[in-house]
Amino acid sequence: MRTLTAAHSWMPLLAPITPCCRHWQRVHHAARVYSRQSPAFETTVAALQGAVNVGAATKNVSNRQLFARLQPEKKTLEKLDMLQLGSEKSGRFERKKWFRYHEPEVKLPHISFFAGAQAPASFPDASLPEVGVVGRSNVGKSTLVNRLCGSVTARISDKPGLTQQINFYTAGRDFHLVDMPGYGFAFAKEEVSKSWHSLIETYVRQRKTLRRVMLLLDARHGIKANDREFMELLDHTNTKFQIVLTKCDLVHRVDLAKRHLLVSMQTVKSRNCIPRVMMVSAQTGAGLNDLRKELLHTCSLGQKYLGLHKKKEAIALAEYAEQLKIFQDTARPKKRRP
């Protein structure tokens, strides 16, 4: 009979050892799962200090000064400029573009509310693919759901914590959109807030048809401590999740590109986190088409709803690139001051 080696001696409560090959496959799989540690996600403030090289001489530099030193990615700035994401301050005599990118509109199937659950026993049958939407209180979940649907489906309020149950919305007979209560600050008692957290955790752990969770972050703040804790929960439960930056119209375009860079640095730390960070503005509608496409592809509905969209998108991109080249070629060279 085969005995345990030193490599397996640390594992807790192993089953009785048999010469069966399948048993040893289970043993090695248990060893990998036991030894795997959750990724150390960082808040945006902590990631900022790591992204900017801070020497001993600049140890007391403020976070605002570190953020000013951070260099955004050029590709991100170009995309933000094309999609008109982020606010932009232009000078009085600065040349403005006479053209814009006319993105083909993506429409989702008609979405309507069909179930609400305040306890796991009230969850509807898991019959269709589901995409969850979650984030801190007052991050704009319900507003984003309404803009995605194109109708006033979810209740919205300036008061955090309005969503007090898991709301299920059905998109035709194709998929379910799930709006979860906000975590973090809310005008609710501590016992009620804990029950919401328990409800969300139960849903994420037990729901077999959950394809992905869209984790909404305020673009003005990035990843905060409670966001990091929820990311660790999703990773611990092997739940696929993707980060979406909301309220991008309230952030300057250059600052938004920097925030996008800092958040993207955290996505590579987990195999369960989708590397692509989405950016949207429910106020202006910028970035919503990209998010709609992501939802359809997540639920394997791209071929059904996006058949002609790729051709229209390629034409729109070609027209925008042509106008951008003319704009750059006709620009006056900047004069250097003596």
Side-chain angles (χ1 to χ4, degrees):
M1 183 178 294
R2 191 171 179 180
T3 59
L4 279 176
T5 60
H8 302 110
S9 60
W10 53 270
M11 291 191 311
L13 300 177
L14 290 178
I17 302 172
T18 63
C20 179
C21 294
R22 292 183 179 179
H23 167 75
W24 283 105
Q25 291 176 359
R26 291 195 298 268
V27 168
H28 289 298
H29 175 71
R32 290 195 298 269
V33 173
Y34 186 83
S35 61
R36 187 180 62 187
Q37 297 181 354
S38 299
F41 293 113
E42 295 179 326
T43 61
T44 300
V45 175
L48 176 62
Q49 298 175 355
V52 182
N53 295 326
V54 181
T58 58
K59 189 175 181 180
N60 297 325
V61 176
S62 65
N63 292 329
R64 187 183 297 272
Q65 292 173 327
L66 288 177
F67 191 75
R69 295 182 184 182
L70 185 65
Q71 295 297 323
E73 294 182 345
K74 185 179 179 180
K75 292 183 178 179
T76 305
L77 284 172
E78 292 175 352
K79 183 177 181 180
L80 294 177
D81 184 60
M82 181 181 70
L83 297 178
Q84 298 294 310
L85 271 167
S87 61
E88 185 180 16
K89 296 179 181 179
S90 57
R92 181 179 178 183
F93 300 103
E94 186 175 348
R95 189 174 179 225
K96 297 182 180 180
K97 294 180 180 178
W98 65 84
F99 60 95
R100 58 172 298 179
Y101 172 56
H102 297 283
E103 186 178 10
E105 186 178 3
V106 178
K107 292 185 178 180
L108 295 177
H110 178 69
I111 296 179
S112 58
F113 174 82
F114 84 101
Q118 294 183 351
S122 302
F123 291 162
D125 294 336
S127 56
L128 293 176
E130 295 179 353
V131 177
V133 181
V134 71
R136 288 188 298 109
S137 299
N138 208 26
V139 77
K141 298 186 305 300
S142 300
T143 304
L144 182 61
V145 170
N146 287 336
R147 290 305 303 266
L148 287 174
C149 303
S151 61
V152 184
T153 304
R155 294 174 57 196
I156 59 176
S157 174
D158 294 333
K159 183 179 179 180
L162 180 65
T163 305
Q164 301 182 4
Q165 63 181 3
I166 296 183
N167 295 321
F168 293 82
Y169 301 91
T170 177
R173 296 184 178 179
D174 294 317
F175 69 94
H176 292 160
L177 193 63
V178 184
D179 184 12
M180 307 184 203
Y183 55 84
F185 175 79
F187 290 104
K189 296 181 180 179
E190 185 177 358
E191 297 80 7
V192 177
S193 181
K194 287 183 179 180
S195 66
W196 295 347
H197 297 170
S198 177
L199 182 65
I200 295 174
E201 184 176 354
T202 303
Y203 171 79
V204 170
R205 287 181 181 273
Q206 298 180 357
R207 204 66 172 176
K208 295 181 180 180
T209 55
L210 182 61
R211 293 285 185 89
R212 187 177 300 179
V213 172
M214 295 297 182
L215 180 60
L216 307 188
L217 301 179
D218 195 324
R220 297 171 296 180
H221 309 298
I223 301 175
K224 288 195 170 184
N226 44 16
D227 298 318
R228 181 189 61 190
E229 294 173 359
F230 196 82
M231 291 169 65
E232 292 174 352
L233 169 65
L234 293 174
D235 187 74
H236 181 68
T237 56
N238 290 326
T239 304
K240 294 292 182 182
F241 65 98
Q242 186 171 8
I243 295 177
V244 181
L245 296 178
T246 62
K247 302 184 179 181
C248 292
D249 57 293
L250 302 179
V251 186
H252 189 267
R253 190 162 296 171
V254 177
D255 294 343
L256 181 59
K258 294 180 181 181
R259 200 85 64 191
H260 179 272
L261 175 62
L262 293 174
V263 174
S264 299
M265 292 169 55
Q266 304 303 310
T267 61
V268 299
K269 295 184 177 183
S270 170
R271 293 181 298 176
N272 296 311
C273 184
I274 307 301
R276 185 187 180 191
V277 177
M278 310 290 294
M279 293 177 287
V280 297
S281 170
Q283 185 69 24
T284 63
L288 289 178
N289 281 328
D290 278 348
L291 185 56
R292 293 189 184 107
K293 287 188 292 183
E294 196 72 20
L295 289 175
L296 292 174
H297 286 303
T298 301
C299 300
S300 304
L301 297 171
Q303 187 174 2
K304 181 178 180 180
Y305 289 98
L306 301 175
L308 299 176
H309 185 270
K310 289 185 179 179
K311 184 178 293 186
K312 295 179 180 179
E313 189 177 26
I315 295 174
L317 286 173
E319 293 177 352
Y320 177 80
E322 182 180 356
Q323 295 291 334
L324 182 62
K325 187 176 185 303
I326 296 175
F327 179 79
Q328 294 174 347
D329 293 342
T330 56
R332 295 180 180 179
K334 293 183 179 180
K335 297 182 179 180
R336 295 184 178 180
R337 294 181 179 180

